[in-house]
Amino acid sequence: ESLHSCIGLLGISAGSLLLAVHFYSSPQAAPLIPSTALGVLLLILSALLAYAGIRRSLRNASLLVSLCLTLSAFWSGYGVILILAGQGVLPGAGAVRDALVPGLATFTLALLLLAVVGFLCREPVLALVAAAVSLASAHEVALHYSSSLGPSAVACGHLLVCLVGGYFALGRMLYFLSKGKVALAGTDLAEKKAQEQGRGGAGSTNPFAAPGLLLNMLSASVFGCRLLGVTHGLFLGHVPWLWAAGTFQIGICVLSYRAMDVLMATAFGFTSILKFAAGYSLLYPTWQTEELSFPTPFLVVFAILFAVLALFLSLQSPVDGLYLLVFVTYCIALACSPRGFFAGGPQGVAVAIFVASALVALIHLYYVGARAKIPLGKGAVKALLARSSLLKLREGPDLHAPYLGYSKYADAEVLAYACSVLASFALTATGDPQAPLATVVIPWVVVAGGILKFLGGSVAFARGKTLESSAFILYSVMWIIWGLTRYGGLYSTARSFHAAVGIVAFMLFNSFIIFCSLFLNMAWFFYSLTFMLIAVSFLLDAIHALPAGYDIAATLIFGLVSFYCFLAALSSSTFEGCCLPMGRPMVQLSGVGAGTTKCLHLPARKASSVKRIADILRNGGTCGIPTDTVYVLVAACSRPDAVEKAHRSKRQAQDRPMSLWISSLKQLEPAKHLFTPLLWDFMEAAWPSPISLVIPRGEWVDFLGMKDSAKYVGTPQSVAIRIPDCSVTTHLIDLVGPIVVTSANPTGEADTTHHNQVYAKLGDKVDAVLCGGPSPENIASTVVDCTKIDSGNIGFFRVGIIPKSQVLQILEQVQKK
């Protein structure tokens, strides 16, 4: 945490130092740092700031996240414009001014909001940095319109940031050199971390929402400045701001999934598409003279998707839901304006987006940093829904439970289905064959159907949804290739055969997905089947045999199926129960889908998860847990009903009896007199390790409080016992007491080496799975027969991870002792 905080603040100071040197040179002389070099350096520093903001822990989120990500987006756009100016792409001071002013004005206000919240939340260092950069940006805006101000005022603002950064660096150096005894005010990060944990803000809101909202201000400012006459027109110089905002919003979309906020992540995915489309519209006139045309059906569908998302988001946060309605208006304004982004109507709505984004961003910033929370109306929504017996909001730690095991991300299927809707309706635009780029389709198809769907597939893979992720990634590649080929001017008669061969290959892959979806659910079967109709239309078009209207019908059918899946995914992620069913599998085979009834799954790296598993075991449950070898199925010895349940769920074979695990030999101390000295010393030398010792059954079993569980453990003559060499497992045994153990797989099948396998094989038979990822070993423990150890002989029921020679060596050392 301290490293990432230092990287963030010192990176900001380094960028401000570069800008201070740049602006401190006299207006008549050549700048000390050329524009191109300064732009490249700012891009490097923006990447460093993005890293610092992303790597900050979600649990201890602070205003530093918003400051780093906001400044990173600012300097990336600013740097690209400086590079364009240095290379002569933006001729004249007027073009450079018109390019820079919208971004400078936006970040002046955005950083001022950060500074105000920083002072209110008692973070003086961050507040001073934000206020100084805001002041420098304001002076730079004034400098572009009045040369009498002089660049020194801008340099002074950036110099103030350098002084604050130097103070922070000095404080950190003193802290490390004195080993924490000397800490300047505002530089003690350990104290700040404790304050952030005390606020608990990150657990109740998305810390990445505020930067995403500030980026909405940036894109709106480009069009608002044109409407208000601040800039003379929309041109190439504004594209870096729009595409920087779009790129960063895709990143914030991923981070929002990391913060388990599905709805805001989907919203940022939607708004990033608008930014890329706007940038494309401004870039197009630089090499073509034709008028751009905007597909009206697509924009109407986009407005409907925004409206549905706003409705569901209002149940989580009414303020955010109302905010998204502004984008519904924006899409409708674009649909009604033939000139699209260049028309006055959409630009007027952009001004409203700027104001609304600033207000909502201020609320989110304060919500992250302050102890006192601003009411967002969620309590009123919960009280209203409490009266309904049909609708109940999903809440609690299992809100975003993955399909198999533990995942760091929330489900991205909502965005993936929505992108399918957008891409399919974008293809309904016919376009001009002589000027294919004049129809604004590429941003919708490539960004929505390609990049964002690929993102959804990657998140689905991280959540254990192998089939869904494969389909999303395959479809995203198809949309990207076909969108660029058909609407990018790459399509011609000479390339028809090659395109047809590629499409046939995609159809073969999709046929396999259709077959696999038979075992998933009905919605996925129709989703993959209707995409085959799209692929057929692509193939017929490639060979010039497309019937009139077939492509429109195919895209409409696929779009409607995708829209249903979008609604079903939204409702299932928002409400408990299945409001819109996805349907049952069309084909069910024995052994397939054993984990249909999903059990609880918790990350093993959290102490709270181990405590929760212990509670389940104490209450008579059975759980799958990781060990020092493979995964095992466990039950508490003190609960005979749970031990019997574990025995039944495994269909335990007589030649593979259940074993007994303890966490320390201290648990057997009261019964030490019942063991021979050699056996006791051998157990002491062999454990903890993946060595199970089969010892004679005796009265010592009663000292472990097994009660009626004893009849299910071992054989009438012997019991296998071991102390695992795994801190998670031994800590669990410390909380529960001795546990009864068997392998976490149906009898006769291979050992399970990942929590996904436990979940798939026994998901409907156990109460929880403690998810620790891949097993450290793929081989089970070594089972040693110690029933005749006093005669100096031991046997081996199974040679596992520990070789026979090593066990014999341990015995030899004990005998010598």
Side-chain angles (χ1 to χ4, degrees), residues 20 70 85 102 105 113 122 162 206 210 231 254 333 364 411 460 499 540 644 689-690 776:
T70 303
L113 295 178
R122 298 178 183 178
C162 297
N206 179 3
T231 56
V254 177
H364 277 272
D411 203 339
L540 294 175
E644 182 183 0
S689 71

Side-chain angles (χ1 to χ4, degrees), residues 177-229:
L177 291 175
S178 64
K179 296 182 179 179
K181 295 178 181 178
V182 179
L184 299 179
T187 63
D188 188 354
L189 296 177
E191 179 184 350
K192 287 181 65 177
K193 183 175 179 180
Q195 292 174 355
E196 291 164 6
Q197 287 178 329
R199 291 186 195 122
S204 55
T205 189
N206 179 3
F208 303 110
L213 294 167
L214 295 175
L215 291 173
N216 284 336
M217 291 172 57
L218 175 59
S219 59
S221 174
V222 170
F223 299 106
C225 286
R226 173 66 191 93
L227 181 70
L228 299 175

Side-chain angles (χ1 to χ4, degrees), residues 695-726:
I695 61 178
R697 181 186 286 271
E699 296 179 5
W700 62 269
V701 174
D702 300 329
F703 284 85
L704 298 177
M706 294 187 66
K707 303 176 184 176
D708 294 335
S709 303
K711 62 183 179 182
Y712 298 106
V713 180
T715 67
Q717 295 79 30
S718 60
V719 175
I721 185 170
R722 125 165 140 97
I723 299 177
D725 191 13
C726 175

Side-chain angles (χ1 to χ4, degrees), residues 287-312:
W287 76 84
Q288 296 288 342
T289 57
E290 294 90 354
E291 278 286 325
L292 280 171
S293 62
F294 294 82
T296 302
F298 170 86
L299 292 166
V300 173
V301 171
F302 209 175
I304 294 172
L305 291 178
F306 262 120
V308 173
L309 184 63
L311 176 63
F312 280 89

Side-chain angles (χ1 to χ4, degrees), residues 622 635-648 658 709 712-713 740:
T622 59
C637 286
S638 57
R639 295 300 301 257
D641 53 337
V643 177
E644 182 183 0
K645 178 183 175 184
H647 190 273
R648 281 190 284 104
M658 301 175 79
S709 303
Y712 298 106
V713 180
V740 174

Side-chain angles (χ1 to χ4, degrees), residues 397-713:
D398 304 323
L399 176 61
H400 300 291
Y403 175 64
L404 291 175
Y406 174 71
S407 173
K408 296 179 180 179
Y409 298 91
D411 203 339
E413 284 194 8
V414 175
L415 180 60
Y417 290 134
C419 289
S420 296
V421 178
L422 293 174
S424 61
F425 278 93
L427 286 181
T428 58
T430 54
D432 184 3
Q434 303 302 320
L437 293 170
T439 306
V440 184
V441 173
I442 285 183
W444 315 126
V445 175
V446 173
V447 177
I451 297 173
L452 291 178
K453 188 183 282 290
F454 187 87
L455 185 154
S458 302
V459 173
F461 182 79
R463 292 174 58 80
K465 296 189 172 183
T466 309
L467 175 61
E468 293 92 325
S469 65
S470 302
F472 286 144
I473 291 172
L474 176 70
Y475 296 170
S476 70
V477 173
M478 186 69 174
W479 285 121
I480 290 174
I481 293 174
W482 183 253
L484 291 175
T485 303
R486 175 75 182 275
Y487 294 94
L490 305 177
Y491 190 65
S492 66
T493 306
R495 298 186 179 93
S496 296
F497 174 76
H498 307 290
V501 172
I503 294 167
V504 169
F506 272 104
M507 292 172 67
L508 291 175
F509 281 116
N510 194 49
S511 299
F512 178 70
I513 289 175
I514 293 172
F515 173 75
C516 293
S517 65
L518 291 170
F519 304 93
L520 189 59
N521 55 53
M522 290 183 65
W524 254 99
F525 173 74
F526 285 109
Y527 178 73
S528 55
L529 183 64
T530 50
F531 186 80
M532 184 65 85
L533 300 178
I534 299 276
V536 169
S537 74
F538 292 167
L539 177 62
L540 294 175
D541 192 16
I543 61 176
H544 307 288
L546 181 66
Y550 175 82
D551 55 341
I552 303 294
T555 52
L556 288 176
I557 294 171
F558 178 70
L560 291 174
V561 172
S562 301
F563 185 69
Y564 177 84
C565 294
F566 166 73
L567 290 177
L570 258 182
S571 60
S572 65
S573 66
T574 307
F575 300 111
E576 290 185 2
C578 198
C579 300
L580 289 174
M582 297 288 281
R584 297 180 61 84
M586 300 185 72
V587 178
Q588 288 184 327
L589 299 177
S590 176
V592 176
T596 303
T597 304
K598 298 181 176 65
C599 64
L600 186 66
H601 30 260
L602 302 164
R605 67 170 181 261
K606 292 186 177 181
S608 58
S609 301
V610 181
K611 183 177 180 297
R612 198 165 175 193
I613 293 288
D615 292 336
I616 293 172
L617 292 176
R618 280 194 292 263
N619 292 327
T622 59
C623 301
I625 65 169
T627 68
D628 50 350
T629 54
V630 295
Y631 277 77
V632 295
L633 178 64
V634 302
C637 286
S638 57
R639 295 300 301 257
D641 53 337
V643 177
E644 182 183 0
K645 178 183 175 184
H647 190 273
R648 281 190 284 104
S649 65
K650 270 295 301 287
R651 304 188 300 274
Q652 197 70 28
Q654 294 300 318
D655 59 339
R656 295 181 185 178
M658 301 175 79
S659 59
L660 178 66
W661 284 11
I662 56 177
S663 60
S664 170
L665 272 177
K666 292 181 180 179
Q667 292 173 305
L668 287 176
E669 283 282 358
K672 184 177 180 180
H673 63 282
L674 299 175
F675 297 91
T676 63
L678 180 60
L679 178 56
W680 185 267
D681 291 342
F682 185 57
M683 289 191 296
E684 213 168 32
W687 293 334
S689 71
I691 300 175
S692 297
L693 303 182
V694 178
I695 61 178
R697 181 186 286 271
E699 296 179 5
W700 62 269
V701 174
D702 300 329
F703 284 85
L704 298 177
M706 294 187 66
K707 303 176 184 176
D708 294 335
S709 303
K711 62 183 179 182
Y712 298 106
V713 180

